[in-house]
Amino acid sequence: MVAVVLLALLVALTVAVVVRHGAPLPGDTVLHRRSLHDRPPVAVATARAVTATGSGVVPYVLAVVAGLLAGRDGKGRRYAVAGALAVLVLGQLVRYGLMAAVARPRPASLDWATTASGFSFPSGHTTTSALTAGLLAWAVLTRRTPAAARPTIAVLCLWAVAVGVSRIYLGVHWASDVLGGWLFASLWLCLAALVTSPRVRAAGRRRTGRVRAPLGARPPGGA
């Protein structure tokens, strides 16, 4: 249900961007202008430092860390690292495809306080940091109870939000680009969780005939 809602929201936002031929949506221009009016050097330097963590090698290193944390032994860690990297890499590929299909231009380059390239929707830094935060949250939840993991997950969410906000503040993305990145990343993580859930994998094994449950046995996770 969550994935369906996220998909509907992402589709609605994407359609709104396409229908307006990439023009700013309501609220985009207001937030963009506000960011231009308050840019002290310290704040700009801080935003640049934050935004740098949402791209390049950092997210992939953190994805490996997530896999190492989630795995219980050598083999488990290798599978977990491969799975985490697959979620991140495939998510990037799909995001690139969506970005190329929408082909939304960025705000005027005169307003930029950092370098940027490519199209604007959805925001790449925002998507990448949110995906990475989700993978790290998954890894933490494999080691701790939800209650114990809550503070760490809160910090990860704040980091992902900070990266997205920094893209608006630095003038290289519209707010709707950042919102699109958050929606896309959340949807992708939901799909990854669904595909890798024990119930789905067990159903796949039964369909292929690799595992046959005894007659009358209850399925894994059944009520």
Side-chain angles (χ1 to χ4, degrees), residues 50-61:
V50 171
T51 209
T53 63
S55 184
V57 69
V58 173
Y60 293 93
V61 171

Side-chain angles (χ1 to χ4, degrees), residues 70-98:
R72 297 294 180 179
D73 52 27
K75 184 177 181 181
R77 291 188 186 97
R78 288 193 294 272
Y79 278 123
V81 167
L85 288 174
V87 169
L88 185 56
V89 171
L90 292 176
Q92 295 284 46
L93 292 176
V94 176
R95 193 260 306 170
Y96 276 123
L98 177 60

Side-chain angles (χ1 to χ4, degrees), residues 27-36 107-108 111 168 171 173-174:
D28 280 345
T29 303
V30 173
L31 291 174
H32 183 72
R33 288 176 178 171
R34 286 183 179 177
S35 70
L36 300 180
D111 298 336
I168 303 171
H173 276 292
W174 303 112

Side-chain angles (χ1 to χ4, degrees), residues 112-161:
W112 297 1
T114 188
T115 57
S117 61
F119 294 117
S120 192
F121 181 89
S123 167
H125 285 67
T126 302
T127 303
T128 304
S129 60
L131 287 173
T132 306
L135 290 171
L136 288 169
W138 156 71
V140 171
L141 285 170
T142 64
R143 293 289 182 175
R144 298 180 180 178
T145 64
R150 194 172 294 130
T152 303
I153 293 175
V155 171
L156 292 171
C157 290
L158 287 175
W159 167 61
V161 169

Side-chain angles (χ1 to χ4, degrees), residues 17 22-25 28 99 102-106 118-121 174 176-177:
V17 171
L25 299 181
D28 280 345
M99 182 179 285
V102 176
R104 187 186 200 185
R106 293 178 182 269
F119 294 117
S120 192
F121 181 89
W174 303 112
S176 52
D177 298 331

Side-chain angles (χ1 to χ4, degrees), residues 192-208 210-211 220:
L194 179 63
V195 169
T196 58
S197 68
R199 183 174 298 182
V200 172
R201 286 188 280 110
R205 288 194 296 265
R206 288 197 298 272
R207 283 195 298 269
T208 57
R210 285 180 291 177
V211 174

